[in-house]
Amino acid sequence: MQQEFLNQIEKLKAKGATYVDTRWYPFEETNYLLMRNGNLKATAASRESGLGVRVLYKGAWGFSASSDLSSPGALFDHALENARVAAERQAGTYCIVTSGRGPTSRELELFAEVVPRIKARWPLKICASPGLLTPEQAVHLKACGVDRVNHNLNTSERFYARICSTHSYQDRLNTLSAVRAAGMEICCGGIIGMGEEAADVAELALRVASLQAEAVPINFLIPIPGIKLEAGSRLNPRYCLKVLALF
């Protein structure tokens, strides 16, 4: 596999990339326990490896990562494309997103390495979407140079248990508190059309307002046949406009 990575690096350089590097992470096992009111509700475990690629193309950084190592060439191409688009569109903010419940130690190390390099070279604001954060992790991201964290509440506290069972609404509020305490901006919104009532939307709007979020993304669920939330979506253009007016 090492030779495959080297071949892909040379391929991207031939396409105009001035810098390319890659990191392969060996298997990492993570165990989770979900506790509510002192009672164990669920356990889970995950075991995965991954590959990350960074590309510098015409002055802009592109990043790509995946746990699927069956086609590393596609991952390299994706990173190059990200860099090309960012350079051509003169992006002012670059958002780095991780997958999973929260950032791993390796992902936090990557933030520490990548963010300072980007900000030292280009006048970009950095937004991160890393999942649940502890106060210590939030302070780490701030120290790396992250300006804003995206962490959506998604719906009201009353309705939340209907759409998520892996963590609580309070977990999300704790993360947002940690972000603000660390001195970063908050990007927080929700998803409309999952079967919630109008009162849930109003409660979400009030909660987001109390956070004084600097950015409020509002998403509208497009029902797809076969998904559990398909029947819950009763959206129409007029209702969507009313929702946007609340925020």
Side-chain angles (χ1 to χ4, degrees):
M1 183 164 290
Q2 180 179 359
Q3 187 58 49
E4 171 68 12
F5 294 164
L6 293 174
N7 292 340
Q8 293 298 330
I9 289 174
E10 293 303 317
K11 176 182 174 183
L12 295 190
K13 287 183 177 180
K15 290 184 177 182
T18 54
Y19 177 86
V20 183
D21 74 16
T22 180
R23 286 187 174 189
W24 174 73
Y25 301 115
F27 282 105
E28 179 177 89
E29 184 169 339
T30 305
N31 297 295
Y32 304 105
L33 296 177
L34 176 61
M35 303 289 293
R36 284 184 183 165
N37 299 321
N39 297 315
L40 179 64
K41 294 295 185 180
T43 62
S46 64
R47 188 171 184 263
E48 60 181 16
S49 63
L51 174 68
V53 181
R54 295 185 302 168
V55 179
L56 182 62
Y57 179 83
K58 292 186 178 180
W61 286 98
F63 304 90
S64 189
S66 177
S67 58
D68 182 4
L69 302 183
S70 61
S71 181
L75 192 63
F76 279 83
D77 291 339
H78 189 208
L80 180 64
E81 179 64 12
N82 286 344
R84 183 189 66 79
V85 171
E88 291 182 354
R89 297 183 180 180
Q90 298 180 329
T93 300
Y94 198 91
C95 187
I96 303 174
V97 182
T98 64
S99 64
R101 179 182 176 89
T104 65
S105 58
R106 292 190 182 96
E107 288 169 339
L108 291 172
E109 290 172 3
L110 188 59
F111 275 104
E113 179 180 344
V114 172
V115 173
R117 289 189 180 185
I118 296 175
K119 303 195 77 171
R121 188 177 179 102
W122 307 106
L124 287 170
K125 293 187 68 175
I126 302 298
C127 178
S129 184
L132 298 174
L133 293 172
T134 65
E136 294 76 17
Q137 290 171 331
V139 169
H140 173 83
L141 291 180
K142 173 64 175 179
C144 292
V146 173
D147 301 289
R148 175 180 294 177
V149 170
N150 167 249
H151 194 73
N152 291 334
L153 288 175
N154 293 324
T155 188
S156 70
E157 186 169 8
R158 182 198 72 84
F159 191 70
Y160 191 78
R162 296 276 300 275
I163 63 168
C164 182
S165 60
T166 58
H167 51 273
S168 69
Y169 201 76
Q170 189 60 49
D171 289 333
R172 288 191 172 272
L173 292 175
N174 291 345
T175 290
L176 292 167
S177 295
V179 169
R180 185 64 84 196
M184 291 180 287
E185 295 181 351
I186 289 175
C187 174
C188 179
I191 305 172
I192 309 301
M194 298 185 293
E196 73 281 344
E197 302 294 334
D200 295 305
V201 180
E203 181 185 328
L204 173 64
L206 291 171
R207 180 78 75 168
V208 171
S210 71
L211 296 170
Q212 298 183 319
E214 284 77 11
V216 184
I218 302 300
N219 305 280
F220 296 99
L221 179 69
I222 304 300
I224 299 174
I227 66 172
K228 291 184 178 180
L229 298 177
E230 177 190 2
S233 182
R234 306 183 302 275
L235 302 180
N236 59 67
R238 184 179 296 275
Y239 180 77
C240 292
L241 287 173
K242 290 181 178 180
V243 168
L244 292 175
L246 283 176
F247 294 87

